[in-house]
Each structure stands twice: as structure tokens, then as C-alpha cells.
């Protein structure tokens, strides 16, 4: 998941969709909004097994399977996930004794997390995007525990099942590791699994409309604008509601993923040249295509919805089939696409060649990177250190990943034709009704916090229509961009403060550029943005050093 991809739910959200749950600050409400579970005292199993010295060869969680509930904060307001009342979580709780109380912010994630940090009232586990500044704040504030120290003291098995490359990537200057990633792929993983890797970044069109228009070539500015125009003329309404010619990710205070990393990757714009980081925003091909979007807006081909809709509103409109085309991450709408397919196979969204550079080079899409998508940390307030690190070890191990993905043998899966795979009726439900599948079984990446997407390739069933088409389209186009992760300076530093300000400047400039009445006005807005950026030379120098450090670190994992 390239930077933009990882921020929204780089390549994997598909399998875990639909979300929004209330959790009052410090109230530790669970995913149903009910009071916190009461079984929160550390386990007191005093059997010889429970007090045995931990072994690097045997999972420590097996020493104590008495009941315990951990509070687990997910820094994603869209996350509609709870523990219990499905095959996977009931099986894991029965097996390990661990119950989970998920805490999910009802609104602004940063506000919720900052409140918890300020009060010192931290839940047992915290999962958030690897790119979040809050990670540095929690480490600096001693709010989270070093996983390596917990492992050495309580669970050496952790160091056996954790990937050394991922631990190395996340090792801090003080030598400690505080978070472990999900959906992470090291250089070695690319050598082993690379041909199977896909990207979440796609340009999609509604199949029936696209084919009715003669499958127009949308790689060029002229072809792109003409296709949007023809779609609006031929299909002014969809079920009585206006067609939206083009859909994009939501606009935020710092920009829009579709019009940044996604578009730049489709245009195959490099992120570095001759070992030096390259400012993609000043690339001529990129600016030319942003002007294409400006022209689209002037021609009435960018609906007002595009500038104001959030993810929930987009999902609703995708379900209604109101978009002709979208520059959007495919996994966000796969369950909706499946529903469209069941109603009418021709009304689905399919991936096609989208905006391209003048040479029509193939896109260089963001594939899985070593940073992963999210990282999970253990709080200093954790109620039972040993049980916590042992549970984390279990979840990231092959055993835990298999339990999370396949569920319970004989109930959701079995060994069929020599391979552990979902039972036929379970697989059918997965491919036809993801929502019901999640509620009944809770398998196949429903609990994604420590999923190992490479490990799960062994159990992942073949892709099913219509979504396999989108995934397959990205194969061979997905590359690792890990060397460009974690380049930004600390938000509290002089450069970091300036960088945050510059990001907000871009967030204001981008929609203004699209709403400009002419290319000349567009140029003025963009040049004003460049002129008003502060400390850019210092920021660039910091990023360059970080980039070079990443290159060295990655080379040591090969």
C-alpha cells in the first residue's frame, strides 16, 4: 500500500469493510456502545504450568488460558468490528482465554487518541496507521512498552515467530521495538511472493456504461475528458439520480489521495532521480494532468459531491452505481461491487487503463511494503504484560494467522484435496455476502490487526468475480515503495512544524486549483503554494537523509 494507499486502508480493506462505532473518551465502551466488560483483572492462574519459565520453542499463551479481557483501541472511525458471537473469535477465546473489547472513535481519530494520551488512560493494545505521528508521541511519552523487552522477560517465543526484518525496520534509535506491522512485505517477501502481489490502486469504470461507449481509451487527456463527457450525455441519470462522471477519494485538510500518489503512480512519475528525492508535485506531466481535472470541473464533469463527500457517502453512491469512473482503491468497495454483480453482472466496476504519461508507460503502483498498513503497540497500562505479549505472539504466528483466516477446522474449513481451505458453503457465502460472512464466521481478514498477508496466501481461495478482475489487473504493476516511508521530520521539530503547515497549504491549494477558471489561474494558485512553503530546503534535507537511511536498512534485509 503506497503512502496514500496505506493511509486508507492500504490492500486489504476489502476483506474487512464497513465501519463506525462509538467509544467515549476514557469510557472504554465496547463496539456495541455498552459498558466495558468487567473481566479486566489480570489472570491469577497459579498452576505449575502457568508459572513455568517461558520457552522460545513453545507458545507462552498455552501456560495460562484463564479468562482475561483486553481493551484494544483501533484508530479508525470506520472500523465496524467487535469480538464475539462468530466462529473465529469464539474459537480463539475458547482456545486462549482472551476476550477483546474493541474501542473505536466515533468521530475524529486524532482527537480521541490525543485525549487518551493526554490523560494517560491508555488501553491495553493500540492499532493505528504506521504513518501516524501519534506513534512517535507515544514512544517519547513512555506510553507504550518495548516489545523486545516484553519478549525477553515474558515470552521469548515472540522473537521466534516475529519477522526479523520487520523488527529491524521498526527498531528505534534506542534499540527498542514498540510496534509490529500487519500486511508487511520485506525484500525477501518480494523475492518469494512478488509475482502474486497486487496493488490497491485502480482506475475503474462501470462496465456496462464503458462498453456502451465503445471502451474508450482514457489514458490521454483528450480521451479521458471525452469519455467523461460521453458518459454524462448518454447517462444523465442513474435510477432517477444524476450520474457522477468521476469519483475520487475524499478531500482532507492535507489533500486528496486520488490526485496525489494515485495519479502520480499511474503516470509512473519517479520518486527519486539519481539517488535524490524528486518533488513529484512539480513534475510537468503531473501538473498537466491536474489541469485536465481542472478542465473537467469547468466542463461540469466533476460533481460538487466530489469535493464534499466522505467515505460513507461514496460507498452509498457506489452501491447505487452512480459513478461512471473512479480513481479509487478497489478494496474499499469490493463488497458493494459484489452486491452490484448479483443484481446485474454488467453493472459492476472493472479496472481499466487510466491516466498515463505522454509516453504511455505502464503505471508503477504501490505494492505491499515493509511498513505494512497498521502497527500494533502494547500500552504501559496493560493489565497483564505476559498475557499481552503472549497473545500478540499467538496472533502474528502462523497458528494465529491461520485461526484468524480459516477459523475452526471442521466448522469453517477442512483439509480438502490436500489443502486446508474453506468448506464449500462457507466459501460460497464469502463470495456472495461478505456482511453475513463476517457476522457468522468472522474469518478471512475480518480481524486484520496482525494479519500476515503473505502467510495467508497458502489459505486464500482463488479470486471470485467480479473483484478478481480488479486485483488481477494490478499484478505486475505493483512495486515496493518502502524506501520512501517514514521520511517526514518529527512534528514537534522546526522542520516538522513547517512540514505540517505546508501540508495544510497544499490541502487548501489543491481544490482551488481544480476550481480555477483557467490554466493561468491554476498556475497562480500553484505558484503561490510553492512561494508560501516554509523551511522547504531544511525539510528536503531531512527527508533525503531519512531516504538514504532507509536504503541502507532495506539492503541489510536482503
Amino acid at each position: 500500500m503506497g503512502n496514500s494507499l496505506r493511509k486508507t486502508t492500504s490492500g486489504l480493506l476489502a476483506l474487512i469493510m464497513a465501519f463506525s462505532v462509538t467509544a467515549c473518551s476514557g469510557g472504554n465502551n465496547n463496539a456495541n456502545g455498552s459498558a466495558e466488560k468487567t473481566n479486566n483483572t489480570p489472570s491469577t492462574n497459579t498452576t505449575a504450568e502457568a508459572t513455568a519459565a517461558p520457552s522460545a520453542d513453545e507458545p507462552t499463551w498455552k501456560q495460562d488460558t484463564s479468562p482475561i479481557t483486553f481493551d484494544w483501541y483501533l484508530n479508525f472511525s470506520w472500523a465496524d468490528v467487535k469480538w464475539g458471537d462468530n466462529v473465529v473469535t469464539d474459537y480463539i477465546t475458547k482456545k486462549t482465554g482472551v476476550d477483546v473489547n474493541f474501542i473505536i472513535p466515533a468521530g475524529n481519530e486524532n482527537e480521541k487518541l490525543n485525549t487518551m494520551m493526554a490523560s494517560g488512560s491508555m488501553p491495553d493494545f493500540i492499532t493505528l496507521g504506521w504513518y501516524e505521528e501519534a506513534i512517535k508521541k507515544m514512544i517519547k511519552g513512555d506510553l507504550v512498552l518495548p516489545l523486545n523487552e516484553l519478549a525477553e522477560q515474558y515470552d521469548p517465543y515472540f522473537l521466534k515467530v516475529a519477522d526479523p526484518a520487520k523488527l529491524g525496520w521498526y527498531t528505534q534509535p534506542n534499540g527498542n521495538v514498540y510496534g509490529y506491522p500487519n500486511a508487511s512485505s520485506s525484500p525477501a517477501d518480494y523475492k518469494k511472493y512478488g509475482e502474486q502481489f497486487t496493488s490497491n490502486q485502480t482506475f475503474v469504470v462501470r462496465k456496462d456504461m464503458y462498453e456502451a461507449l465503445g471502451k474508450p481509451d482514457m489514458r490521454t487527456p483528450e480521451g479521458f475528458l471525452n469519455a467523461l463527457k460521453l458518459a454524462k450525455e448518454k447517462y444523465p441519470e442513474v435510477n432517477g439520480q444524476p450520474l457522477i462522471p468521476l469519483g475520487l477519494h475524499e478531500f482532507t485538510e492535507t489533500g486528496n489521495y486520488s490526485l496525489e500518489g494515485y495519479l502520480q503512480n499511474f503516470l509512473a512519475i519517479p520518486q527519486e532521480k539519481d539517488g535524490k528525492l524528486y518533488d513529484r508535485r512539480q513534475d510537468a506531466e503531473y501538473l498537466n494532468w491536474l489541469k485536465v481535472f481542472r478542465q473537467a470541473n469547468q466542463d461540469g464533469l466533476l460533481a460538487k459531491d466530489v469535493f464534499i463527500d466522505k467515505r460513507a457517502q461514496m460507498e452509498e453512491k457506489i452501491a447505487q452505481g452512480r459513478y461512471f469512473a473512479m480513481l479509487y482503491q478497489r478494496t474499499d468497495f469490493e463488497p458493494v461491487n459484489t452486491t452490484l454483480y448479483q443484481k446485474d453482472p454488467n453493472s459492476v466496476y472493472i479496472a481499466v487503463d487510466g491516466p498515463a504519461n505522454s509516453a504511455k508507460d505502464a503505471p508503477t503502483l504501490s505494492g505491499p511494503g515493509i511498513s505494512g498498513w497498521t502497527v500494533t503497540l502494547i500500552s504501559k497500562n496493560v493489565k497483564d504484560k505476559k498475557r499481552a505479549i503472549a497473545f500478540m505472539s499467538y496472533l502474528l504466528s502462523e497458528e494465529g494467522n491461520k485461526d484468524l483466516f480459516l477459523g475452526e477446522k471442521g466448522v469453517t474449513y477442512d483439509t480438502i484435496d490436500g489443502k486446508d481451505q474453506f468448506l464449500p458453503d462457507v466459501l460460497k457465502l464469502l463470495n456472495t455476502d461478505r456482511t453475513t460472512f463476517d457476522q457468522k464466521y468472522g474469518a478471512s481478514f475480518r480481524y486484520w490487526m496482525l494479519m500476515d498477508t503473505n502467510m495467508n496466501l497458502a489459505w486464500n481461495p482463488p479470486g471470485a468475480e467480479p473483484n478478481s478482475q480488479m486485483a488481477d489487473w494490478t499484478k505486475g504493476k505493483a512495486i515496493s515503495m518502502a524506501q520512501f516511508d517514514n521520511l517526514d521530520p518529527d512534528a514537534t521539530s522546526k522542520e516538522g512544524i513547517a512540514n505540517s503547515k505546508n501540508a495544510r497549504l497544499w490541502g487548501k491549494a489543491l481544490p482551488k486549483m481544480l476550481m480555477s477558471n483557467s490554466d493561468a489561474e491554476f498556475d497562480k494558485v500553484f505558484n503561490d503554494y510553492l512561494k508560501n512553503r516554509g523551511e522547504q530546503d531544511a525539510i528536503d534535507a531531512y527527508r533525503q537523509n531519512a531516504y538514504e537511511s532507509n536504503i541502507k536498512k532495506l539492503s541489510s534485509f536482503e
Side-chain angles (χ1 to χ4, degrees):
M1 304 178 177
N3 197 30
S4 53
L5 175 62
R6 292 191 271 278
K7 290 184 179 180
T8 55
T9 64
S10 353
L12 304 159
L13 291 177
L15 311 167
I16 45 162
M17 293 282 297
F19 311 97
S20 184
V21 184
T22 301
C24 299
S25 175
N28 291 339
N29 288 354
N30 64 24
N32 292 320
S34 58
E36 180 181 335
K37 298 175 183 178
T38 58
N39 185 18
N40 284 337
T41 55
S43 58
T44 55
N45 190 326
T46 57
T47 64
E49 181 182 30
T51 56
S55 166
D57 298 318
E58 182 70 14
T60 302
W61 67 263
K62 292 184 177 181
Q63 294 183 9
D64 186 352
T65 58
S66 60
I68 187 172
T69 297
F70 285 120
D71 296 322
W72 195 321
Y73 175 75
L74 305 180
N75 197 46
F76 302 95
S77 60
W78 46 259
D80 180 20
V81 60
K82 69 174 184 176
W83 191 272
D85 298 325
N86 60 53
V87 171
V88 163
T89 56
D90 288 348
Y91 174 59
I92 291 175
T93 296
K94 180 180 178 181
K95 183 176 186 176
T96 66
V98 176
D99 202 347
V100 176
N101 171 43
F102 284 119
I103 302 169
I104 300 163
N108 186 291
E109 292 94 344
N110 289 334
E111 290 180 3
K112 172 69 174 177
L113 189 54
N114 286 336
T115 299
M116 289 194 301
M117 289 192 292
S119 67
S121 178
M122 302 293 291
D124 302 296
F125 291 91
I126 306 102
T127 295
L128 69 170
W130 65 262
Y131 43 82
E132 295 288 353
E133 185 64 29
I135 296 173
K136 295 178 182 177
K137 292 180 181 178
M138 286 188 284
I139 293 173
K140 281 189 172 182
D142 292 326
L143 297 176
V144 289
L145 300 173
L147 300 182
N148 52 299
E149 292 184 359
L150 289 175
E152 290 166 4
Q153 184 173 359
Y154 301 107
D155 182 27
Y157 187 71
F158 172 87
L159 299 175
K160 180 177 182 178
V161 295
D163 187 324
K166 296 168 188 177
L167 292 178
W169 181 252
Y170 277 102
T171 296
Q172 300 298 311
N174 64 5
N176 290 326
V177 182
Y178 295 88
Y180 197 83
N182 73 351
S184 169
S185 292
S186 68
D189 290 327
Y190 263 84
K191 292 179 181 179
K192 185 175 182 179
Y193 306 106
E195 292 183 359
Q196 303 179 64
F197 284 166
T198 60
S199 175
N200 211 13
Q201 300 178 331
T202 48
F203 178 70
V204 302
V205 292
R206 190 168 143 167
K207 183 176 184 290
D208 50 3
M209 295 181 183
Y210 182 70
E211 292 178 348
L213 296 177
K215 299 183 179 180
D217 184 351
M218 300 182 72
R219 292 177 295 170
T220 66
E222 299 76 18
F224 184 85
L225 288 171
N226 191 51
L228 296 183
K229 180 181 178 183
L230 291 175
K232 185 176 180 180
E233 290 175 351
K234 188 174 181 65
Y235 302 99
E237 291 187 343
V238 177
N239 296 324
Q241 300 184 78
L243 175 81
I244 304 173
L246 181 66
L248 305 169
H249 283 92
E250 67 181 74
F251 281 84
T252 71
E253 67 172 6
T254 58
N256 185 300
Y257 299 148
S258 297
L259 298 174
E260 295 165 31
Y262 276 51
L263 180 58
Q264 292 160 355
N265 291 345
F266 265 83
L267 301 180
I269 298 172
Q271 297 192 59
E272 62 83 24
K273 290 186 177 182
D274 299 323
K276 298 296 182 182
L277 291 177
Y278 178 62
D279 187 352
R280 300 169 104 192
R281 286 181 183 166
Q282 296 192 61
D283 184 87
E285 298 259 19
Y286 174 59
L287 290 172
N288 182 55
W289 265 96
L290 282 187
K291 289 179 178 178
V292 172
F293 285 87
R294 186 209 69 76
Q295 187 65 52
N297 184 64
Q298 183 173 313
D299 295 345
L301 302 174
L302 283 188
K304 291 181 179 178
D305 313 53
V306 172
F307 294 97
I308 60 176
D309 280 352
K310 302 299 182 184
R311 175 170 166 166
Q313 287 76 42
M314 282 204 67
E315 287 180 2
E316 181 180 349
K317 291 168 183 176
I318 294 171
Q320 296 165 349
R322 289 182 60 192
Y323 295 100
F324 164 62
M326 293 185 289
L327 187 56
Y328 202 67
Q329 61 175 331
R330 61 180 175 83
T331 53
D332 268 15
F333 65 94
E334 284 187 353
V336 175
N337 210 33
T338 297
T339 301
L340 291 173
Y341 182 78
Q342 291 166 351
K343 293 178 180 177
D344 179 1
N346 289 315
S347 70
V348 300
Y349 289 94
I350 59 171
V352 299
D353 293 336
N357 62 32
S358 55
K360 293 187 178 179
D361 293 323
T364 52
L365 305 180
S366 177
I370 196 168
S371 293
W373 166 34
T374 69
V375 292
T376 294
L377 309 94
I378 295 177
S379 161
K380 71 169 185 178
N381 295 338
V382 66
K383 59 180 61 71
D384 190 318
K385 294 178 181 179
K386 183 176 181 178
R387 293 290 296 276
I389 189 64
F391 189 54
M392 178 180 276
S393 296
Y394 160 72
L395 292 177
L396 62 87
S397 70
E398 181 175 352
E399 179 181 8
N401 262 266
K402 187 174 183 180
D403 290 345
L404 286 167
F405 190 89
L406 287 177
E408 185 175 4
K409 190 168 187 177
V411 179
T412 48
Y413 83 95
D414 214 329
T415 304
I416 303 172
D417 297 329
K419 176 184 176 180
D420 288 341
Q421 55 187 299
F422 287 121
L423 295 169
D425 58 331
V426 177
L427 180 59
K428 180 179 179 181
L429 189 62
L430 171 64
N431 290 331
T432 57
D433 188 347
R434 180 73 207 206
T435 300
T436 301
F437 175 91
D438 287 344
Q439 293 171 347
K440 185 174 182 180
Y441 300 122
S444 182
F445 297 128
R446 175 61 172 164
Y447 299 92
W448 38 264
M449 301 80 197
L450 287 164
M451 64 182 178
D452 186 322
T453 45
N454 299 321
M455 192 183 293
N456 283 296
L457 289 171
W459 314 304
N460 209 5
E465 290 296 338
N467 299 318
S468 58
Q469 186 275 339
M470 293 190 291
D472 290 343
W473 183 89
T474 70
K475 288 183 178 178
K477 304 178 181 75
I479 64 173
S480 174
M481 298 182 178
Q483 64 269 39
F484 304 108
D485 289 346
N486 289 321
L487 300 186
D488 290 336
D490 189 308
T492 60
S493 68
K494 180 181 179 181
E495 296 84 358
I497 292 170
N499 193 49
S500 297
K501 180 181 177 182
N502 293 348
R504 292 191 295 272
L505 282 175
W506 173 254
K508 292 179 180 178
L510 182 59
K512 287 182 180 179
M513 290 156 65
L514 301 188
M515 295 178 187
S516 297
N517 294 317
S518 66
D519 285 352
E521 184 179 338
F522 174 105
D523 290 338
K524 183 181 185 306
V525 175
F526 181 69
N527 289 329
D528 285 345
Y529 155 73
L530 292 179
K531 182 176 63 177
N532 291 324
R533 292 190 304 179
E535 303 290 339
Q536 194 59 46
D537 288 344
I539 294 169
D540 290 344
Y542 181 96
R543 288 171 54 82
Q544 180 67 30
N545 287 334
Y547 165 70
E548 292 173 4
S549 176
N550 281 352
I551 292 293
K552 292 179 182 178
K553 189 181 287 189
L554 286 168
S555 65
S556 70
F557 302 148
E558 294 179 348

